[in-house]
Amino acid sequence: DAKTTQPPSMDCAEGRAANLPCNHSTISGNEYVYWYRQIHSQGPQYIIHGLKNNETNEMASLIITEDRKSSTLILPHATLRDTAVYYCIVRVEYGNKLVFGAGTILRVKS
Amino acid sequence: GAGVSQSPSNKVTEKGKDVELRCDPISGHTALYWYRQSLGQGLEFLIYFQGNSAPDKSGLPSDRFSAERTGGSVSTLTIQRTQQEDSAVYLCASSSNRDTQYFGPGTRLTVL
């Protein structure tokens, strides 16, 4: 699976949009971009995934560049409960294990 | 609906003892995964079950670790002769046909 690069940490004001970037310049044509988050002392939580089109669900939006070498996870109105480590993972859709990097620590501040 | 459940939530054991950790996947999910997360570290893949196929054991760190999945549902991860370096949070995930993985809350294992 392709490797990803994320900033180690980010801060966001409560109520504002949180934009979390991820670089995956070696992504293959059949690999999806998955986002998970892990709130302290909990198991990872699935957020969203996509192949090449932008995706939106009740939690977030995923914007993937046309060349698919990078993506941005958008939390439209961040709350204090969104403080977590956010992981960007590239994986074939029906692959086996997930390979987690270090992720981005998002701190939402009031 | 019910998510992935794991038991116990916490386990404290003495070095050298055996432990069993249990995972109940989401009903109908054919794939089941075990990971572990040491303090301050990322998730490390351990083992993966898919239907009746032979499990992928490539992530198991030593032969003290084993896992089974009975009847294609519940899974048990067994660690024999535990060592202090085995202390970690053990996470289980399940998915439908190897699609999106959904994680349980984990079992925190402490080896004294």
Side-chain angles (χ1 to χ4, degrees):
Chain A
D1 293 335
K3 293 188 185 296
T4 62
T5 304
Q6 299 177 252
S9 65
M10 293 181 63
D11 290 341
C12 178
E14 187 178 21
R16 303 298 293 268
N19 298 290
L20 291 94
C22 179
N23 287 325
H24 31 80
S25 59
T26 60
I27 191 169
S28 299
N30 64 342
E31 289 181 314
Y32 285 67
V33 180
Y34 282 79
W35 283 84
Y36 282 78
R37 73 180 181 183
Q38 189 171 25
I39 297 170
H40 183 61
S41 298
Q42 299 183 22
Q45 178 188 22
Y46 165 76
I47 301 173
I48 199 167
H49 76 287
L51 182 63
K52 55 183 178 180
N53 297 323
N54 298 337
E55 302 288 339
T56 296
N57 63 20
E58 65 278 5
M59 290 183 67
S61 295
L62 174 59
I63 307 299
I64 303 174
T65 58
E66 191 170 346
D67 63 7
R68 302 209 321 123
K69 293 183 184 299
S70 66
S71 61
T72 301
L73 178 75
I74 301 172
L75 307 179
H77 304 288
T79 70
L80 297 178
R81 289 177 297 178
D82 292 322
T83 292
V85 180
Y86 286 76
Y87 297 98
C88 169
I89 299 166
V90 173
R91 170 182 180 259
V92 294
E93 187 174 25
Y94 299 110
N96 47 13
K97 63 186 178 183
L98 292 171
V99 179
F100 286 79
T104 295
I105 299 172
L106 175 68
R107 300 184 188 91
V108 181
K109 300 183 176 182
S110 59
Chain B
V4 177
S5 61
Q6 294 184 244
S7 61
S9 55
N10 282 284
K11 176 70 176 179
V12 180
T13 191
E14 295 179 346
K15 178 182 174 181
K17 300 282 190 182
D18 297 351
V19 295
E20 288 189 349
L21 313 179
R22 177 186 167 106
C23 172
D24 282 271
I26 293 172
S27 178
H29 278 190
T30 57
L32 187 147
Y33 313 76
W34 283 97
Y35 296 83
R36 75 174 176 181
Q37 187 170 31
S38 301
L39 186 63
Q41 302 296 312
L43 276 79
E44 173 189 7
F45 167 76
L46 296 177
I47 189 170
Y48 153 65
F49 297 89
Q50 170 60 45
N52 296 321
S53 303
D56 175 357
K57 304 180 182 179
S58 60
L60 294 179
S62 78
D63 58 8
R64 296 186 295 105
F65 288 72
S66 63
E68 63 177 21
R69 189 179 185 194
T70 54
S73 181
V74 172
S75 177
T76 302
L77 177 69
T78 301
I79 309 174
Q80 296 179 310
R81 306 181 301 282
T82 53
Q83 304 295 312
Q84 289 184 330
E85 61 263 28
D86 299 334
S87 295
V89 176
Y90 288 81
L91 291 153
C92 175
S94 71
S95 69
S96 172
N97 198 27
R98 299 186 297 168
D99 194 355
T100 302
Q101 295 181 27
Y102 296 91
F103 285 80
T107 293
R108 181 175 299 278
L109 174 66
T110 302
V111 182
L112 301 176

